[in-house]
Amino acid sequence: MERVKKIIKVIFLAILSILILACGKDTENNLKEIKTTMSMDIDSLNPYKMVSSGTEEIMLNVFEGLLMPNSKGELTPAIAESYKISEDGRIYTFKIRKGIKFHNGNPLDVKDVEFSLNRMAGKDGFPPASALFNEIEKIKVVSEDEIEIKLKKADSAFIYALIKGIVPDENANDLDKNPIGTGPFKVAQYDREQQIVLDRFNEYWGEKTKLDRVTVLIVPNSETAFLKLLSGEINMLSRVDSKRVNELKNFNNISAPQNTVQIFALNNNVELFNDIRVRKAINMALDKDEIINSVMAGNGIKLETNMSPVMKKYCIENLGEKQNIDEAKKILEEVGKNNFTFTIKVPSNYPMHVNTAQIIAEQLKAIGLKAEIETIEWTTWLSDVYSGRKYEATIVGLSGKLDPYSILRRYTNDYKNNFFNFSDEEYDMLIEKAKESTNDEIIVANYKRAQEILREKQAAIYIMDPELITSLDKKIKGFEYYPLPYINFSKMSIGE
């Protein structure tokens, strides 16, 4: 009898195991999950150390600031329910929304906001999250749901910095390893150089996402990523090669300008390119239309300065620069710098930039120049080119921002990552005066004149704002482009 009982027990446990596995499989099959890729790993889990646009476009789903952007590029209340700015533009007062919880389940309070702002501003011994936070003179808790930021002087760009994430003060010593925000998604798993998994945060204060999970695979090779989409391993792919869209007829293919500026940067400090006439000659030798047609199948907006027409209010109109090989040759002969060789360093994980480099190298042969292409890892590009300025020429995309200051300050003398090594006193003055002004007419006029200087002084060669193509499974709804690096997964759904 005892033996029979044991047999029955074994059979029961076996059946139970099968049922559990079956239920698990059903649950997995019913999981509303977007699977996508990014070409490089996120550079930090700490919201105050993030640098790359690829990191920002994913992690804005995890961290929320006092304000957040919408798809039109406008700032909308988030952790701050409302705010007001003093007439002199120096004092910002924010009313903190009630009922917000962090991903660890703890409620957000004004002390968390105070801690976060102090960390952003570098007032607790850490480096500031960005230069804009250096403008903070004082942070003051006014009441249990109100906080005040006082600036050293008026700053028209400062408000845009406040999309930086608010974090819990109890996590002060663990920001690099334990990402805790208030966003609609929380980090469920992170495997370095493999994947990051975001799960829906069920206690989110706002409208809850209809997705259960977002899995982002780290896939440096664009062809591998493309094949993963075709095979069904992923159901969403950003930055699709425009030449291959015809292979994706079974997907929704959505395109729009990125508010990104693809540049061909010539290091203004190296001997080859420290003469404006040489930079101008190279610019004249290029056929940007050919580049856009060859690299993006025509899906790009030709540029002449460091701002996309997406920024309608501030962007100047193109003059219509045209290729002029004879004039370019003449200029190089006059300055005695013809028939030289130089190296273009290009991040290998961006096929668009690599392809652009190849076409530029071919076009420059017409004026007797030889451009050698060196593809390098993204981390190497960041250290050698972006931070170290150790290069002759490079091709890269400068990501869009919400405010013109963050776009144009890149060329100021005191900007630490002015890797162009561009220097112009009038330019610096215009940017600083626009930043300090509360007069909208002055701000717009200054930023437009600054762009004209970039064009006149050949600070860099501006190619295009490439239209970003995203391919999605046809069951996925709600995808929108933003004028900054941000894929808002919370607005998306599957099969709704």
Side-chain angles (χ1 to χ4, degrees), residues 250-272:
N250 294 325
F251 294 84
N252 276 336
N253 302 306
I254 305 171
S255 65
Q258 300 181 56
N259 191 22
T260 289
V261 175
Q262 187 194 37
I263 65 162
F264 177 28
L266 306 172
N267 191 336
N268 287 203
N269 263 4
V270 300
E271 186 179 351
L272 288 174

PDB file of all heavy atoms in Angstrom, residues 250-272:
ATOM      1  N   ASN A 250       6.289  43.564 -44.876  1.00  0.00           N
ATOM      2  CA  ASN A 250       5.361  42.998 -43.897  1.00  0.00           C
ATOM      3  C   ASN A 250       5.406  43.724 -42.555  1.00  0.00           C
ATOM      4  O   ASN A 250       4.820  43.269 -41.580  1.00  0.00           O
ATOM      5  CB  ASN A 250       5.659  41.514 -43.687  1.00  0.00           C
ATOM      6  CG  ASN A 250       5.372  40.692 -44.930  1.00  0.00           C
ATOM      7  OD1 ASN A 250       4.435  40.990 -45.675  1.00  0.00           O
ATOM      8  ND2 ASN A 250       6.171  39.672 -45.174  1.00  0.00           N
ATOM      9  N   PHE A 251       6.130  44.853 -42.527  1.00  0.00           N
ATOM     10  CA  PHE A 251       6.252  45.640 -41.298  1.00  0.00           C
ATOM     11  C   PHE A 251       5.715  47.045 -41.537  1.00  0.00           C
ATOM     12  O   PHE A 251       5.578  47.495 -42.679  1.00  0.00           O
ATOM     13  CB  PHE A 251       7.727  45.736 -40.871  1.00  0.00           C
ATOM     14  CG  PHE A 251       8.337  44.423 -40.462  1.00  0.00           C
ATOM     15  CD1 PHE A 251       8.847  43.557 -41.420  1.00  0.00           C
ATOM     16  CD2 PHE A 251       8.407  44.056 -39.134  1.00  0.00           C
ATOM     17  CE1 PHE A 251       9.415  42.344 -41.055  1.00  0.00           C
ATOM     18  CE2 PHE A 251       8.967  42.850 -38.756  1.00  0.00           C
ATOM     19  CZ  PHE A 251       9.470  41.991 -39.720  1.00  0.00           C
ATOM     20  N   ASN A 252       5.416  47.748 -40.444  1.00  0.00           N
ATOM     21  CA  ASN A 252       5.116  49.173 -40.532  1.00  0.00           C
ATOM     22  C   ASN A 252       6.439  49.920 -40.518  1.00  0.00           C
ATOM     23  O   ASN A 252       7.220  49.797 -39.553  1.00  0.00           O
ATOM     24  CB  ASN A 252       4.255  49.630 -39.346  1.00  0.00           C
ATOM     25  CG  ASN A 252       2.789  49.375 -39.571  1.00  0.00           C
ATOM     26  OD1 ASN A 252       2.334  49.274 -40.704  1.00  0.00           O
ATOM     27  ND2 ASN A 252       2.032  49.247 -38.493  1.00  0.00           N
ATOM     28  N   ASN A 253       6.722  50.675 -41.559  1.00  0.00           N
ATOM     29  CA  ASN A 253       7.968  51.421 -41.661  1.00  0.00           C
ATOM     30  C   ASN A 253       7.659  52.914 -41.532  1.00  0.00           C
ATOM     31  O   ASN A 253       6.997  53.491 -42.385  1.00  0.00           O
ATOM     32  CB  ASN A 253       8.647  51.126 -42.996  1.00  0.00           C
ATOM     33  CG  ASN A 253       8.928  49.641 -43.170  1.00  0.00           C
ATOM     34  OD1 ASN A 253       9.564  49.026 -42.322  1.00  0.00           O
ATOM     35  ND2 ASN A 253       8.437  49.059 -44.253  1.00  0.00           N
ATOM     36  N   ILE A 254       8.136  53.510 -40.450  1.00  0.00           N
ATOM     37  CA  ILE A 254       7.811  54.900 -40.132  1.00  0.00           C
ATOM     38  C   ILE A 254       9.079  55.734 -40.188  1.00  0.00           C
ATOM     39  O   ILE A 254      10.111  55.343 -39.621  1.00  0.00           O
ATOM     40  CB  ILE A 254       7.172  54.994 -38.727  1.00  0.00           C
ATOM     41  CG1 ILE A 254       5.958  54.062 -38.631  1.00  0.00           C
ATOM     42  CG2 ILE A 254       6.773  56.420 -38.407  1.00  0.00           C
ATOM     43  CD1 ILE A 254       5.394  53.925 -37.235  1.00  0.00           C
ATOM     44  N   SER A 255       9.023  56.861 -40.878  1.00  0.00           N
ATOM     45  CA  SER A 255      10.207  57.707 -41.004  1.00  0.00           C
ATOM     46  C   SER A 255       9.886  59.152 -40.661  1.00  0.00           C
ATOM     47  O   SER A 255       8.757  59.609 -40.829  1.00  0.00           O
ATOM     48  CB  SER A 255      10.787  57.625 -42.414  1.00  0.00           C
ATOM     49  OG  SER A 255       9.882  58.152 -43.361  1.00  0.00           O
ATOM     50  N   ALA A 256      10.906  59.859 -40.187  1.00  0.00           N
ATOM     51  CA  ALA A 256      10.781  61.285 -39.854  1.00  0.00           C
ATOM     52  C   ALA A 256      12.175  61.846 -39.618  1.00  0.00           C
ATOM     53  O   ALA A 256      13.105  61.094 -39.284  1.00  0.00           O
ATOM     54  CB  ALA A 256       9.919  61.468 -38.608  1.00  0.00           C
ATOM     55  N   PRO A 257      12.362  63.174 -39.787  1.00  0.00           N
ATOM     56  CA  PRO A 257      13.653  63.783 -39.435  1.00  0.00           C
ATOM     57  C   PRO A 257      13.962  63.530 -37.968  1.00  0.00           C
ATOM     58  O   PRO A 257      13.067  63.447 -37.129  1.00  0.00           O
ATOM     59  CB  PRO A 257      13.429  65.273 -39.709  1.00  0.00           C
ATOM     60  CG  PRO A 257      12.289  65.316 -40.665  1.00  0.00           C
ATOM     61  CD  PRO A 257      11.407  64.157 -40.315  1.00  0.00           C
ATOM     62  N   GLN A 258      15.249  63.432 -37.662  1.00  0.00           N
ATOM     63  CA  GLN A 258      15.647  63.083 -36.289  1.00  0.00           C
ATOM     64  C   GLN A 258      15.951  64.294 -35.418  1.00  0.00           C
ATOM     65  O   GLN A 258      16.161  64.143 -34.233  1.00  0.00           O
ATOM     66  CB  GLN A 258      16.914  62.222 -36.327  1.00  0.00           C
ATOM     67  CG  GLN A 258      16.796  60.921 -37.064  1.00  0.00           C
ATOM     68  CD  GLN A 258      18.089  60.143 -37.007  1.00  0.00           C
ATOM     69  OE1 GLN A 258      18.615  59.851 -35.942  1.00  0.00           O
ATOM     70  NE2 GLN A 258      18.623  59.798 -38.162  1.00  0.00           N
ATOM     71  N   ASN A 259      16.040  65.482 -36.034  1.00  0.00           N
ATOM     72  CA  ASN A 259      16.619  66.622 -35.337  1.00  0.00           C
ATOM     73  C   ASN A 259      18.065  66.306 -34.969  1.00  0.00           C
ATOM     74  O   ASN A 259      18.560  66.689 -33.919  1.00  0.00           O
ATOM     75  CB  ASN A 259      15.815  66.995 -34.083  1.00  0.00           C
ATOM     76  CG  ASN A 259      16.237  68.340 -33.502  1.00  0.00           C
ATOM     77  OD1 ASN A 259      16.798  69.168 -34.196  1.00  0.00           O
ATOM     78  ND2 ASN A 259      15.975  68.549 -32.227  1.00  0.00           N
ATOM     79  N   THR A 260      18.698  65.566 -35.854  1.00  0.00           N
ATOM     80  CA  THR A 260      20.111  65.218 -35.711  1.00  0.00           C
ATOM     81  C   THR A 260      20.888  65.906 -36.823  1.00  0.00           C
ATOM     82  O   THR A 260      20.376  66.097 -37.921  1.00  0.00           O
ATOM     83  CB  THR A 260      20.299  63.687 -35.809  1.00  0.00           C
ATOM     84  OG1 THR A 260      19.782  63.081 -34.632  1.00  0.00           O
ATOM     85  CG2 THR A 260      21.760  63.300 -35.961  1.00  0.00           C
ATOM     86  N   VAL A 261      22.116  66.286 -36.535  1.00  0.00           N
ATOM     87  CA  VAL A 261      22.958  66.908 -37.548  1.00  0.00           C
ATOM     88  C   VAL A 261      24.156  66.000 -37.817  1.00  0.00           C
ATOM     89  O   VAL A 261      24.976  65.766 -36.925  1.00  0.00           O
ATOM     90  CB  VAL A 261      23.444  68.296 -37.095  1.00  0.00           C
ATOM     91  CG1 VAL A 261      24.423  68.887 -38.104  1.00  0.00           C
ATOM     92  CG2 VAL A 261      22.254  69.229 -36.906  1.00  0.00           C
ATOM     93  N   GLN A 262      24.224  65.467 -39.034  1.00  0.00           N
ATOM     94  CA  GLN A 262      25.399  64.683 -39.416  1.00  0.00           C
ATOM     95  C   GLN A 262      26.468  65.648 -39.893  1.00  0.00           C
ATOM     96  O   GLN A 262      26.235  66.460 -40.788  1.00  0.00           O
ATOM     97  CB  GLN A 262      25.077  63.686 -40.528  1.00  0.00           C
ATOM     98  CG  GLN A 262      26.257  62.754 -40.821  1.00  0.00           C
ATOM     99  CD  GLN A 262      26.105  61.987 -42.116  1.00  0.00           C
ATOM    100  OE1 GLN A 262      25.585  62.523 -43.092  1.00  0.00           O
ATOM    101  NE2 GLN A 262      26.564  60.744 -42.146  1.00  0.00           N
ATOM    102  N   ILE A 263      27.639  65.566 -39.272  1.00  0.00           N
ATOM    103  CA  ILE A 263      28.708  66.507 -39.599  1.00  0.00           C
ATOM    104  C   ILE A 263      29.955  65.784 -40.081  1.00  0.00           C
ATOM    105  O   ILE A 263      30.233  64.647 -39.699  1.00  0.00           O
ATOM    106  CB  ILE A 263      29.078  67.411 -38.404  1.00  0.00           C
ATOM    107  CG1 ILE A 263      29.661  66.562 -37.263  1.00  0.00           C
ATOM    108  CG2 ILE A 263      27.919  68.232 -37.913  1.00  0.00           C
ATOM    109  CD1 ILE A 263      30.423  67.373 -36.250  1.00  0.00           C
ATOM    110  N   PHE A 264      30.685  66.474 -40.928  1.00  0.00           N
ATOM    111  CA  PHE A 264      32.025  66.080 -41.333  1.00  0.00           C
ATOM    112  C   PHE A 264      32.933  67.095 -40.648  1.00  0.00           C
ATOM    113  O   PHE A 264      33.079  68.221 -41.114  1.00  0.00           O
ATOM    114  CB  PHE A 264      32.135  66.130 -42.848  1.00  0.00           C
ATOM    115  CG  PHE A 264      33.495  65.801 -43.408  1.00  0.00           C
ATOM    116  CD1 PHE A 264      34.371  64.955 -42.738  1.00  0.00           C
ATOM    117  CD2 PHE A 264      33.900  66.348 -44.615  1.00  0.00           C
ATOM    118  CE1 PHE A 264      35.620  64.652 -43.263  1.00  0.00           C
ATOM    119  CE2 PHE A 264      35.144  66.053 -45.161  1.00  0.00           C
ATOM    120  CZ  PHE A 264      36.007  65.200 -44.481  1.00  0.00           C
ATOM    121  N   ALA A 265      33.475  66.705 -39.496  1.00  0.00           N
ATOM    122  CA  ALA A 265      34.248  67.640 -38.680  1.00  0.00           C
ATOM    123  C   ALA A 265      35.713  67.601 -39.077  1.00  0.00           C
ATOM    124  O   ALA A 265      36.323  66.531 -39.166  1.00  0.00           O
ATOM    125  CB  ALA A 265      34.094  67.302 -37.196  1.00  0.00           C
ATOM    126  N   LEU A 266      36.294  68.776 -39.291  1.00  0.00           N
ATOM    127  CA  LEU A 266      37.707  68.940 -39.577  1.00  0.00           C
ATOM    128  C   LEU A 266      38.316  69.652 -38.378  1.00  0.00           C
ATOM    129  O   LEU A 266      37.930  70.780 -38.071  1.00  0.00           O
ATOM    130  CB  LEU A 266      37.903  69.759 -40.855  1.00  0.00           C
ATOM    131  CG  LEU A 266      37.174  69.226 -42.106  1.00  0.00           C
ATOM    132  CD1 LEU A 266      37.286  70.226 -43.245  1.00  0.00           C
ATOM    133  CD2 LEU A 266      37.732  67.869 -42.509  1.00  0.00           C
ATOM    134  N   ASN A 267      39.232  69.010 -37.706  1.00  0.00           N
ATOM    135  CA  ASN A 267      39.809  69.557 -36.480  1.00  0.00           C
ATOM    136  C   ASN A 267      40.469  70.904 -36.764  1.00  0.00           C
ATOM    137  O   ASN A 267      41.497  70.985 -37.436  1.00  0.00           O
ATOM    138  CB  ASN A 267      40.824  68.565 -35.915  1.00  0.00           C
ATOM    139  CG  ASN A 267      41.279  68.929 -34.510  1.00  0.00           C
ATOM    140  OD1 ASN A 267      41.221  70.089 -34.104  1.00  0.00           O
ATOM    141  ND2 ASN A 267      41.740  67.944 -33.765  1.00  0.00           N
ATOM    142  N   ASN A 268      39.871  71.959 -36.249  1.00  0.00           N
ATOM    143  CA  ASN A 268      40.335  73.327 -36.535  1.00  0.00           C
ATOM    144  C   ASN A 268      41.732  73.613 -35.982  1.00  0.00           C
ATOM    145  O   ASN A 268      42.333  74.629 -36.324  1.00  0.00           O
ATOM    146  CB  ASN A 268      39.362  74.364 -35.961  1.00  0.00           C
ATOM    147  CG  ASN A 268      38.057  74.453 -36.738  1.00  0.00           C
ATOM    148  OD1 ASN A 268      37.366  75.472 -36.702  1.00  0.00           O
ATOM    149  ND2 ASN A 268      37.674  73.395 -37.433  1.00  0.00           N
ATOM    150  N   ASN A 269      42.236  72.722 -35.116  1.00  0.00           N
ATOM    151  CA  ASN A 269      43.541  72.963 -34.492  1.00  0.00           C
ATOM    152  C   ASN A 269      44.700  72.255 -35.172  1.00  0.00           C
ATOM    153  O   ASN A 269      45.850  72.534 -34.868  1.00  0.00           O
ATOM    154  CB  ASN A 269      43.513  72.540 -33.012  1.00  0.00           C
ATOM    155  CG  ASN A 269      43.251  73.714 -32.087  1.00  0.00           C
ATOM    156  OD1 ASN A 269      43.012  74.826 -32.539  1.00  0.00           O
ATOM    157  ND2 ASN A 269      43.289  73.469 -30.790  1.00  0.00           N
ATOM    158  N   VAL A 270      44.407  71.286 -36.047  1.00  0.00           N
ATOM    159  CA  VAL A 270      45.514  70.594 -36.704  1.00  0.00           C
ATOM    160  C   VAL A 270      45.974  71.409 -37.904  1.00  0.00           C
ATOM    161  O   VAL A 270      45.199  72.166 -38.506  1.00  0.00           O
ATOM    162  CB  VAL A 270      45.124  69.157 -37.134  1.00  0.00           C
ATOM    163  CG1 VAL A 270      44.712  68.323 -35.931  1.00  0.00           C
ATOM    164  CG2 VAL A 270      44.019  69.162 -38.185  1.00  0.00           C
ATOM    165  N   GLU A 271      47.245  71.247 -38.270  1.00  0.00           N
ATOM    166  CA  GLU A 271      47.848  72.101 -39.297  1.00  0.00           C
ATOM    167  C   GLU A 271      47.118  72.023 -40.639  1.00  0.00           C
ATOM    168  O   GLU A 271      46.989  73.027 -41.344  1.00  0.00           O
ATOM    169  CB  GLU A 271      49.318  71.719 -39.491  1.00  0.00           C
ATOM    170  CG  GLU A 271      50.064  72.649 -40.431  1.00  0.00           C
ATOM    171  CD  GLU A 271      51.522  72.272 -40.579  1.00  0.00           C
ATOM    172  OE1 GLU A 271      51.988  71.395 -39.824  1.00  0.00           O
ATOM    173  OE2 GLU A 271      52.188  72.861 -41.455  1.00  0.00           O
ATOM    174  N   LEU A 272      46.607  70.856 -40.980  1.00  0.00           N
ATOM    175  CA  LEU A 272      45.945  70.702 -42.264  1.00  0.00           C
ATOM    176  C   LEU A 272      44.693  71.559 -42.389  1.00  0.00           C
ATOM    177  O   LEU A 272      44.371  72.067 -43.467  1.00  0.00           O
ATOM    178  CB  LEU A 272      45.567  69.231 -42.489  1.00  0.00           C
ATOM    179  CG  LEU A 272      46.702  68.255 -42.785  1.00  0.00           C
ATOM    180  CD1 LEU A 272      46.159  66.830 -42.834  1.00  0.00           C
ATOM    181  CD2 LEU A 272      47.403  68.610 -44.093  1.00  0.00           C
TER     182      LEU A 272
END
